Amino acid sequence: MGDISFSNGISNGNGFHGNGHSVGGAQRKSCWYEEEIEENLRWCFALNSILHTGATQFQDIQLLDTKPFGKALVIDGKLQSAEIDEFIYHESLVHPALLHNPNPKSIFIMGGGEGSTARELLRHNTVEKVVMCDIDEEVVDFCKSYLVVNSEAFCDPRLELIINDARAELERREECYDVIIGDLADPIEGGPCYQLYTKSFYEFTVKPRLNQDGVFVTQAGPAGVFSHTEVFSCIYNTLRQVFKYVVAYSAHIPSYADIWGWVMASDSPFLLNADEMDLRMKQRIKGENRFLDGKTFTSASTLSKAVRKSLDTETHVYTEGNARFIYGHGTAYKHNKA
């Protein structure tokens, strides 16, 4: 992850050039976040302040107060979630899988340290137990302290918080789950998570821990017309090698500057139509979703022609020795306008 750096109106070495001007002869500081999405493409927006920056045993972490997106959590230089639109990501990750299960009582979250996935799960009145397993205790403690929107979820007696590697924890446990959720960081080269996107992991660790009618769902990276070939298409194809029924879906998340993808898999067919999904939402979920309903999911799972064609013809299977990775990193820095 890039360091915070300072500039006086000249290039700061991170690809940003300021347009210097004065206001009453005084300097005015401007604070920015910049993420390199591709080699020749960067995403940049203004910050009110940098609330925290540091490093844990496993990863770098920043909490930014952004002008367009509110508070934003950045891990290993990749924006994980932003206050103004995280509901799109977390509703999409959680609710389709639970609604397609006939009676989801026990859930296992791989990752999910910020608590938002647990928050959405605990809105379901069928849920009796949620195990959230995140490898980084410092990130979890940090999110408990700073992300007050999830305070209630962290205090819910149905939530069991485990600090461990998700693979080791699933292999250690004997119980099975109705839904397993992969709320993991993106597969970044050198990062801690890429092995949890592999065929062997899905086949020998995840699937044996699912109950009958069990559903697995994972976040699957960028899913735009051009970006979906990074990891989205091969995660979809990898899960097709392991499960009988696999559904890919996507939605635009403004703070990510792209369409984002999820993949849901099961050995039981996904048969709910939009009206049936809406009915289950009314019966099961406390409060009203801001983003997801039956029609929205129908739209989300109707991918564009280009992406559908690519997924249908994808042959790459994600393995430890043949992995694909998300490109890029982000940098928060200050620029002094003279």
Side-chain angles (χ1 to χ4, degrees):
M1 186 174 96
D3 296 325
I4 299 172
S5 58
F6 299 86
S7 176
N8 59 0
I10 310 171
S11 171
N12 65 2
N14 290 316
F16 179 79
H17 296 262
N19 296 315
H21 64 275
S22 61
V23 180
Q27 284 191 335
R28 191 176 70 181
K29 288 185 177 180
S30 182
C31 198
W32 293 82
Y33 173 76
E34 181 179 274
E35 186 166 313
E36 189 172 354
I37 298 172
E38 297 176 11
E39 185 176 359
N40 298 310
L41 180 62
R42 295 184 179 188
W43 170 232
C44 186
F45 48 83
L47 306 179
N48 291 311
S49 62
I50 299 168
L51 299 174
H52 175 84
T53 182
T56 74
Q57 177 185 352
F58 299 99
Q59 50 206 346
D60 295 316
I61 182 171
Q62 289 180 319
L63 185 67
L64 311 175
D65 182 7
T66 79
K67 289 183 183 291
F69 304 119
K71 290 180 182 177
L73 179 67
V74 177
I75 294 179
D76 278 343
K78 300 292 289 185
L79 192 146
Q80 301 298 305
S81 70
E83 186 177 20
I84 199 170
D85 60 7
E86 58 87 5
F87 68 94
I88 303 173
Y89 172 93
H90 290 103
E91 288 183 15
S92 298
L93 175 67
V94 167
H95 299 307
L98 266 71
L99 293 167
H100 279 89
N101 186 279
N103 189 25
K105 295 181 178 180
S106 59
I107 319 294
F108 189 97
I109 309 170
M110 303 187 299
E114 72 176 84
S116 299
T117 295
R119 179 197 70 214
E120 292 300 316
L121 287 167
L122 292 165
R123 293 174 56 208
H124 284 251
N125 57 31
T126 63
V127 170
E128 298 175 355
K129 181 180 181 180
V130 174
V131 178
M132 185 176 89
C133 181
D134 198 287
I135 197 170
D136 199 329
E137 186 171 18
E138 290 180 68
V139 167
V140 174
D141 289 342
F142 176 84
C143 293
K144 280 183 178 180
S145 299
Y146 285 97
L147 304 182
V148 295
V149 68
N150 297 328
S151 298
E152 188 176 337
F154 277 115
C155 295
D156 195 300
R158 293 173 291 170
L159 179 66
E160 178 185 358
L161 175 60
I162 302 292
I163 304 300
N164 197 4
D165 173 75
R167 175 180 231 148
E169 188 66 22
L170 277 173
E171 291 173 348
R172 182 186 72 82
R173 289 174 171 256
E174 296 181 358
E175 65 262 41
C176 292
Y177 302 91
D178 297 312
V179 178
I180 296 176
I181 295 178
D183 185 17
L184 301 163
D186 298 325
I188 297 174
E189 191 166 10
C193 290
Y194 81 93
Q195 293 180 342
L196 304 187
Y197 292 91
T198 60
K199 180 177 182 289
S200 62
F201 177 64
Y202 295 148
E203 186 172 9
F204 300 117
T205 303
V206 171
K207 190 172 181 178
R209 288 292 175 266
L210 285 172
N211 288 323
Q212 185 176 0
D213 297 322
V215 180
F216 172 68
V217 63
T218 182
Q219 79 90 12
V225 170
F226 301 114
S227 60
H228 73 277
T229 55
E230 280 191 302
V231 294
F232 181 60
S233 60
C234 69
I235 291 172
Y236 170 77
N237 185 56
T238 301
L239 283 166
R240 286 200 301 177
Q241 314 305 309
V242 178
F243 292 91
K244 291 180 181 178
Y245 303 96
V246 181
V247 174
Y249 57 103
S250 63
H252 177 243
I253 301 180
S255 63
Y256 289 1
D258 205 348
I259 306 293
W260 210 255
W262 302 266
V263 182
M264 184 169 63
S266 179
D267 280 345
S268 298
F270 299 114
L271 300 176
L272 288 185
N273 61 34
D275 290 339
E276 290 167 336
M277 182 175 280
D278 285 338
L279 179 60
R280 285 193 176 182
M281 286 184 189
K282 291 179 182 178
Q283 293 171 337
R284 297 183 184 182
I285 299 177
K286 178 183 177 181
E288 187 173 349
N289 288 342
R290 297 172 63 188
F291 175 75
L292 192 82
D293 63 5
K295 288 182 178 179
T296 302
F297 181 72
T298 299
S299 173
S301 55
T302 306
L303 304 175
S304 69
K305 178 181 178 180
V307 176
R308 289 200 314 271
K309 183 177 180 180
S310 184
L311 265 61
D312 288 344
T313 57
E314 178 65 77
T315 59
H316 188 97
V317 175
Y318 206 108
T319 66
E320 286 87 346
N322 195 22
R324 289 182 182 174
F325 300 102
I326 297 288
Y327 180 87
H329 64 277
T331 302
Y333 58 89
K334 292 179 180 178
H335 166 70
N336 296 329
K337 287 186 176 179

Short mmCIF file of all heavy atoms in Angstrom, two decimals, residues 15 23 29 69 81 92 104 106 142 173 176 234 253 268 296:
data_model
loop_
_atom_site.label_atom_id
_atom_site.label_comp_id
_atom_site.label_asym_id
_atom_site.label_seq_id
_atom_site.Cartn_x
_atom_site.Cartn_y
_atom_site.Cartn_z
N GLY A 15 1.55 10.10 -9.12
CA GLY A 15 0.71 10.28 -10.29
C GLY A 15 -0.26 11.42 -10.19
O GLY A 15 -1.14 11.56 -11.04
N VAL A 23 -5.49 31.48 -1.96
CA VAL A 23 -6.71 32.09 -1.44
C VAL A 23 -6.29 33.06 -0.35
O VAL A 23 -5.90 32.66 0.75
CB VAL A 23 -7.66 31.01 -0.88
CG1 VAL A 23 -8.93 31.66 -0.35
CG2 VAL A 23 -7.99 29.97 -1.94
N LYS A 29 -4.66 23.12 2.09
CA LYS A 29 -4.32 21.72 1.93
C LYS A 29 -5.49 20.96 1.30
O LYS A 29 -6.63 21.17 1.67
CB LYS A 29 -3.97 21.09 3.28
CG LYS A 29 -2.64 21.54 3.83
CD LYS A 29 -2.31 20.77 5.10
CE LYS A 29 -0.94 21.17 5.62
NZ LYS A 29 -0.61 20.42 6.86
N PHE A 69 -17.93 9.75 -0.52
CA PHE A 69 -18.45 8.45 -0.10
C PHE A 69 -18.48 8.25 1.41
O PHE A 69 -18.75 7.15 1.88
CB PHE A 69 -17.61 7.33 -0.73
CG PHE A 69 -17.55 7.39 -2.23
CD1 PHE A 69 -16.33 7.56 -2.88
CD2 PHE A 69 -18.70 7.31 -3.00
CE1 PHE A 69 -16.26 7.63 -4.27
CE2 PHE A 69 -18.65 7.37 -4.38
CZ PHE A 69 -17.44 7.54 -5.02
N SER A 81 -14.82 -0.93 1.60
CA SER A 81 -16.21 -0.50 1.69
C SER A 81 -16.26 0.96 2.06
O SER A 81 -15.36 1.48 2.73
CB SER A 81 -17.00 -1.34 2.71
OG SER A 81 -16.58 -1.04 4.02
N SER A 92 -26.18 -7.57 -1.45
CA SER A 92 -26.01 -8.47 -2.58
C SER A 92 -25.27 -9.74 -2.18
O SER A 92 -25.57 -10.84 -2.68
CB SER A 92 -25.25 -7.77 -3.72
OG SER A 92 -25.98 -6.65 -4.19
N PRO A 104 -32.45 -21.12 6.54
CA PRO A 104 -31.05 -20.92 6.96
C PRO A 104 -30.94 -20.58 8.44
O PRO A 104 -31.36 -19.50 8.87
CB PRO A 104 -30.60 -19.75 6.07
CG PRO A 104 -31.85 -18.99 5.78
CD PRO A 104 -32.96 -20.00 5.72
N SER A 106 -27.81 -21.72 10.40
CA SER A 106 -26.41 -21.60 10.79
C SER A 106 -25.59 -21.10 9.60
O SER A 106 -25.68 -21.63 8.49
CB SER A 106 -25.87 -22.96 11.26
OG SER A 106 -25.99 -23.93 10.24
N PHE A 142 -10.35 -2.82 15.26
CA PHE A 142 -10.40 -1.49 14.67
C PHE A 142 -11.82 -1.17 14.17
O PHE A 142 -12.36 -0.10 14.43
CB PHE A 142 -9.40 -1.42 13.51
CG PHE A 142 -9.41 -0.12 12.76
CD1 PHE A 142 -8.70 0.97 13.22
CD2 PHE A 142 -10.15 0.01 11.59
CE1 PHE A 142 -8.71 2.16 12.52
CE2 PHE A 142 -10.16 1.20 10.89
CZ PHE A 142 -9.45 2.28 11.36
N ARG A 173 -13.54 -27.69 12.42
CA ARG A 173 -14.91 -27.85 12.93
C ARG A 173 -15.58 -29.10 12.34
O ARG A 173 -15.34 -29.45 11.19
CB ARG A 173 -15.75 -26.61 12.61
CG ARG A 173 -15.35 -25.41 13.43
CD ARG A 173 -16.08 -24.15 13.02
NE ARG A 173 -15.81 -23.08 13.97
CZ ARG A 173 -16.67 -22.66 14.90
NH1 ARG A 173 -17.89 -23.19 14.96
NH2 ARG A 173 -16.34 -21.70 15.74
N CYS A 176 -21.77 -28.63 10.25
CA CYS A 176 -22.01 -28.10 8.90
C CYS A 176 -22.92 -26.88 8.99
O CYS A 176 -23.54 -26.62 10.03
CB CYS A 176 -22.65 -29.18 8.02
SG CYS A 176 -21.52 -30.55 7.64
N CYS A 234 -13.12 -16.60 -13.86
CA CYS A 234 -12.50 -17.87 -13.47
C CYS A 234 -13.01 -18.37 -12.11
O CYS A 234 -13.05 -19.58 -11.88
CB CYS A 234 -10.98 -17.78 -13.51
SG CYS A 234 -10.21 -16.75 -12.27
N ILE A 253 -21.18 -0.49 -7.97
CA ILE A 253 -20.90 0.11 -6.66
C ILE A 253 -20.08 1.37 -6.92
O ILE A 253 -18.91 1.28 -7.33
CB ILE A 253 -20.15 -0.88 -5.75
CG1 ILE A 253 -21.01 -2.14 -5.55
CG2 ILE A 253 -19.83 -0.22 -4.41
CD1 ILE A 253 -20.39 -3.19 -4.68
N SER A 268 -28.31 -27.80 -4.94
CA SER A 268 -29.76 -27.69 -5.09
C SER A 268 -30.06 -26.53 -6.03
O SER A 268 -29.39 -25.49 -5.97
CB SER A 268 -30.43 -27.44 -3.74
OG SER A 268 -30.21 -28.53 -2.86
N THR A 296 -34.58 -6.61 -8.57
CA THR A 296 -33.18 -6.20 -8.61
C THR A 296 -32.28 -7.42 -8.78
O THR A 296 -31.31 -7.38 -9.56
CB THR A 296 -32.80 -5.44 -7.34
OG1 THR A 296 -33.64 -4.30 -7.20
CG2 THR A 296 -31.34 -4.99 -7.38
#
